[in-house]
Amino acid sequence: ARHLVLFGRRSPSEEAEAQIAALRVAGVDVLVAKADVSNADQLADVFRQVGASMPPLRGVMHTAGVLDDGMLAEQTMARFAPVMAAKVRGALNLQDLTRDMPLDFFVMFSSGAALLGSPGQGNYAAANGFLDALAYVREARGLPGLSINWGSWAEVGMAATVDESHHRRWSAMGLAIIKPADGVQMLRDALYAGERPQVVAVPLVRSKLP
């Protein structure tokens, strides 16, 4: 890909800026925008920028996510709302804006929590379960769609912000952490396989499984 659109709710970090600069040096045209994927108006503005300055969009990767952990008895609709918005409303907004585009791929980053459960993450599991279902709906309509139920990544993403106790708990359950290079290879394999609308990418340590 020689043209790339990156957007999120916050401006890129210094580390991200360095990676973007390296891509540009390599000849990649990178458009960086600030928008919340769950906000239809902000997202439409990004798509207008893309339409005005870049070739036709050919693929989407929806990676947004928000956490607000707590036992179900402590959860409220106000706590569910932002978690669901990032996944559910974000995916539907992207689908609406690309409805008439001949996309090669439409990838949604789901979570193993939607399949295996995760203590205190009922809202997050439900939000990701929606992405899994949407991938099947897209397949039924003849549209590209892939939902990847990721395990926890090392160094980047949400898992990079948790403390060591979480890592010990995952290890005790027989779940291995995904190194970024391995995750990229998993993503590439899932894209090229193209056989099913849902793929599970949760490395297991068989010797530790119950």
Side-chain angles (χ1 to χ4, degrees):
R2 311 307 299 175
H3 305 274
L4 186 63
V5 183
L6 302 174
F7 70 91
R9 292 175 297 156
R10 293 177 292 274
S11 299
S13 64
E14 290 186 7
E15 183 180 359
E17 287 281 15
Q19 294 293 330
I20 292 167
L23 286 170
R24 286 171 171 158
V25 169
V28 180
D29 177 16
V30 183
L31 171 64
V32 179
K34 191 174 181 180
D36 184 338
V37 71
S38 68
N39 186 308
D41 292 335
Q42 292 181 14
L43 190 58
D45 285 341
V46 173
F47 273 70
R48 278 191 285 270
Q49 293 180 54
V50 174
S53 63
M54 305 190 84
L57 188 67
R58 297 310 302 264
V60 169
M61 287 199 183
H62 175 28
T63 67
V66 172
L67 290 178
D68 189 351
D69 294 356
M71 300 308 292
L72 199 56
E74 301 170 351
Q75 290 285 350
T76 63
M77 290 306 298
R79 294 183 66 180
F80 258 72
V83 179
M84 300 295 283
K87 298 286 186 179
V88 177
R89 178 48 54 195
L92 291 176
N93 286 340
L94 288 167
Q95 177 167 266
D96 288 344
L97 286 166
T98 60
R99 190 177 304 278
D100 299 321
M101 298 180 183
L103 299 181
D104 294 324
F105 58 87
F106 189 102
V107 179
M108 296 169 286
F109 276 35
S110 180
S111 169
L115 299 176
L116 305 175
S118 181
Q121 292 191 327
N123 49 7
Y124 187 66
N128 284 290
F130 176 87
L131 298 184
D132 299 339
L134 182 58
Y136 285 94
V137 170
R138 290 184 62 86
E139 180 192 46
R141 294 177 178 175
L143 300 171
L146 173 63
S147 185
I148 304 178
N149 297 96
W150 289 107
S152 297
W153 285 53
E155 303 175 29
V156 297
M158 293 177 176
T161 65
V162 302
D163 58 32
E164 186 59 31
S165 64
H166 286 77
H167 290 279
R168 288 196 297 269
R169 178 167 60 83
W170 293 331
S171 178
M173 293 170 61
L175 305 178
I177 305 298
I178 302 172
K179 296 179 180 179
D182 294 337
V184 171
Q185 183 61 53
M186 292 177 188
L187 174 60
R188 183 182 293 114
D189 291 344
L191 273 171
Y192 283 123
E195 297 174 353
R196 297 181 181 276
Q198 184 179 10
V199 172
V200 181
V202 181
L204 302 176
V205 181
R206 297 190 179 212
S207 61
K208 293 187 177 182
L209 292 178

